[in-house]
């Protein structure tokens, strides 16, 4: 897949991304990564090697849809943009997206571009259109939470048998962060300090303050909500909350699709985890057609 490296001036250095121009170049999407250290291809730490965003770019190009995949401020090829990748806010990411949208519109020759946010990237997409002004055609929200992230994390911890002994501490820490307050490291069990370092706590306080459904309700443009029934992180009920907030949104539920936009190859959570670690697994068959059909649909502008 031929791609060009694009760059954008960040706070201290360059933000970078990979642009793929489809032969037909009928539309263009900006792919916004999910939470944590996730790179432009959809890979990162803790064994995450799914290649989901690269597979999206390849599949969309075959449908005539160009794309830009980005590394987030302070991470991977965008590491020079800020000295500490944890010293960011959702508003910072949203501002980067707005500026990328302007650059991508100019580079692709399209009057407007589509924002394709995955997981937490969907929240960033929603935040980036809150004030308008950017050349955005509409939103594609894939595996995007419909509730504040603190509530989602609490549910995820409860569903994980391995965290059962730590649930009281986890709930206490989350409740404190949701109030906008930090927790001293000595008040956090040693096994959880990596998750709640001072830098990450500051980011979580900001992250937890945003309600995706409220942001969705304030957006009047076209939007596609794409959610899988095999997702062990974000539920179909989250997608329905987003849909309820925006009656004109299109909701597409893909049977058996995991959080990484791939079909779970078997039964149980262990099988779902293979979609996070096996880059050879393809995207669910419905994903690319659903996105391409939506962004290429004729509309009055």
């Amino acid at each position: 897949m031929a791609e060009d490296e694009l760059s954008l001036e960040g706070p201290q250095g360059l933000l970078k991304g990979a642009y793929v121009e489809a032969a037909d170049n009928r539309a263009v999407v900006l792919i916004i990564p999910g939470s944590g250290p996730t790179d432009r291809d959809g890979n990162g730490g803790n064994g995450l090697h799914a290649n989901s965003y690269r597979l999206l770019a390849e599949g969309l190009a075959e449908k005539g849809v160009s794309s830009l995949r980005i590394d987030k401020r302070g991470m991977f090829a965008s590491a020079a943009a800020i000295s500490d990748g944890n010293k960011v806010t959702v508003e910072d990411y949203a501002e980067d997206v707005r500026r990328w949208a302007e650059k991508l519109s100019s580079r692709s020759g399209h009057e407007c571009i589509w924002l394709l946010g995955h997981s937490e990237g969907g929240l960033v997409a929603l935040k980036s259109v809150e004030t308008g002004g950017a050349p955005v055609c509409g939103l594609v929200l894939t595996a995007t939470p419909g509730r504040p992230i603190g509530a989602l994390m609490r549910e995820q911890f409860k569903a994980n048998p391995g965290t059962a002994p730590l649930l009281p501490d986890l709930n206490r820490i989350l409740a404190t962060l949701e109030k906008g307050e930090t927790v001293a490291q000595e008040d956090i069990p040693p096994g959880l300090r990596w998750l709640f370092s001072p830098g990450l706590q500051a980011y979580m306080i900001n992250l937890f303050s945003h309600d995706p459904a409220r942001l969705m309700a304030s957006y009047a443009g076209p939007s596609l909500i794409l959610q899988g029934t095999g997702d062990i992180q974000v539920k179909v009920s989250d997608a329905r909350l987003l849909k309820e907030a925006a009656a004109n949104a299109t909701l597409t539920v893909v049977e058996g699709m995991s959080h990484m936009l791939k079909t779970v190859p078997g039964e149980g959570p262990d099988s779902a985890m293979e979609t996070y670690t096996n880059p050879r697994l393809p995207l669910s068959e419905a994903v690319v057609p659903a996105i391409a059909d939506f962004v290429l649909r004729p509309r009055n502008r």
Side-chain angles (χ1 to χ4, degrees), residues 10-244:
Q12 299 170 10
L14 293 178
L15 298 161
K16 295 189 176 182
Y19 174 63
V20 175
E21 185 165 296
D24 294 344
N25 191 24
R26 300 167 60 198
V28 60
V29 300
L30 170 59
I31 299 173
I32 307 169
S35 62
T38 303
D39 70 11
R40 65 179 72 176
D41 288 337
N43 304 323
N46 299 319
L48 177 61
H49 192 193
N51 261 0
S52 297
Y53 306 154
R54 173 170 282 274
L55 292 171
L56 268 176
E58 292 174 350
L60 289 171
E62 292 178 356
K63 298 285 189 180
V65 178
S66 303
S67 65
L68 174 68
R69 314 187 312 283
I70 59 173
D71 289 316
K72 294 188 289 186
R73 183 189 294 203
M75 297 184 185
F76 303 101
S78 298
I82 189 170
S83 57
D84 185 347
N86 288 326
K87 289 186 176 180
V88 293
T89 63
V90 172
E91 289 83 356
D92 291 334
Y93 286 146
E95 175 59 24
D96 292 343
V97 165
R98 284 191 288 268
R99 295 179 60 231
W100 273 122
E102 292 171 359
K103 176 143 193 171
L104 184 55
S105 173
S106 175
R107 173 57 187 269
S108 67
H110 286 279
E111 183 180 345
C112 64
I113 65 108
W114 293 85
L115 301 183
L116 194 165
H118 174 246
S119 192
E120 184 184 296
L123 171 63
V124 173
L126 285 163
K127 190 67 179 176
S128 70
V129 295
E130 184 179 32
T131 57
V136 174
C137 309
L139 306 178
V140 178
L141 306 176
T142 61
T144 297
R147 297 163 284 166
I149 304 296
L152 189 72
M153 288 180 66
R154 189 175 283 106
E155 181 181 273
Q156 291 173 352
F157 288 140
K158 185 177 180 181
N160 184 352
T163 60
L166 297 168
L167 272 181
D169 287 305
L170 286 166
N171 288 331
R172 171 179 57 83
I173 295 167
L174 290 176
T176 302
L177 296 174
E178 287 170 330
K179 290 189 292 185
E181 302 171 4
T182 58
V183 182
Q185 291 295 289
E186 57 267 27
D187 294 332
I188 301 174
L192 292 177
R193 288 175 188 170
W194 67 273
L195 180 59
F196 298 106
S197 67
L200 286 176
Q201 285 192 48
Y203 179 67
M204 287 180 184
I205 286 173
N206 174 265
L207 177 66
F208 293 174
S209 69
H210 300 283
D211 183 348
R214 184 190 65 77
L215 291 169
M216 189 72 174
S218 68
Y219 181 65
S223 55
L224 169 66
I225 304 162
L226 191 66
Q227 179 62 44
T229 62
D231 193 331
I232 57 175
Q233 290 185 247
V234 177
K235 304 301 183 184
V236 173
S237 57
D238 284 282
R240 298 199 187 284
L241 286 172
L242 294 173
K243 169 63 178 170
E244 289 169 7

